[in-house]
Amino acid sequence: MQDIIATPKVTKTILDKYDLKATKRFGQNFLIDANIVKKIAMSACDEKTITVEIGPGIGALTQFLAMYSKRVYAHEIDKKLIDVLADIFKEEDIEIIPGDFLKADLSDMPYSDKEIVVCSNLPYYITTPVLFKLFESDLKIKKIVVMVQKEVADRFVAKINSPDYSALSVITSFKYDIKLVMNVPKTVFDPRPNVDSAVISFTPKEVDFKGDETLFFELIKASFKQRRKTLKNNLDAYLKDQDVLALLDKADIKPNVRAQELALDDFKRLYEVIYEDQSLR
Ligand code: SAM
């Protein structure tokens, strides 16, 4: 494939040639701006990278990922696109994995034992399940770079004390450094979606935590359960008979704060006081 796919003209030519239409039910919005696609690929990989893409579509991003990385594996659910992709990328080192990524057994993929980067213009209807499948997998992920709806990106990158700061932001930042790579206007897609998008990246970080993760995440979710309520009120409901004021005092947290005023380290301290500090029992 010689021509750059991510242009309005080439996209139309490919869709016409193979008698294709973007399928709404698979969240198909094809990228038609080569500069944006190039930036996404460059922020994700280099010549040593094994890249995994979810949803190559007609290959707009795949083409640049192939240019910048060592090898690309691409999961595509739409049966109509499998032969088209094979035809478009006859010469590139790309392996198309047909089927639903959400049903794929990630311990049994050709890349399961390799260090990988995940890069995708995600189908918006499954953004969160795809991300959590990756977060909860045993894959050796070096970095995840994904295009998502702007409002979803805002929730992931939200800073403490902002309206978007939530249990999701805190729990994800526990294991990943999360960055906004760029905002992307809806005009660079065909068909054009109703909302703007953004590219965000997740880089795994060292986790210095010896407690029970499930319990820790439950505590964070319970703290944010009713945003308007104070942390104490939310914890009263969660911890039932415990003396929440004494616990907060011990964790050096003011009694009248709301969860959105607490940083990840505050939640870690709170966890330790509630579950590991024997002096209050
Ligand atoms: N990467 C292309 C681009 O940027 O132009 C297409 C992106 S489009 C937003 C999403 C792609 O994901 C489509 O090709 C769609 O068929 C595919 N897709 C949707 N659901 C999927 C799933 N569960 N597993 C794998 N691919 C899926």
Side-chain angles (χ1 to χ4, degrees), residues 101-119:
F101 176 77
L102 291 177
K103 294 195 181 134
D105 175 359
L106 295 186
S107 66
D108 192 25
M109 290 292 126
Y111 53 80
S112 298
D113 60 343
K114 301 181 168 71
E115 184 169 77
I116 57 162
V117 164
V118 178
C119 185

Side-chain angles (χ1 to χ4, degrees), residues 194-206:
N194 295 326
V195 291
D196 288 328
S197 300
V199 179
I200 48 177
S201 70
F202 301 84
T203 311
K205 62 184 190 191
E206 287 283 323

Side-chain angles (χ1 to χ4, degrees), residues 53-67:
E53 185 185 9
I54 297 139
I58 56 166
L61 176 59
T62 324
Q63 183 179 41
F64 279 91
L65 294 175
M67 252 183 252

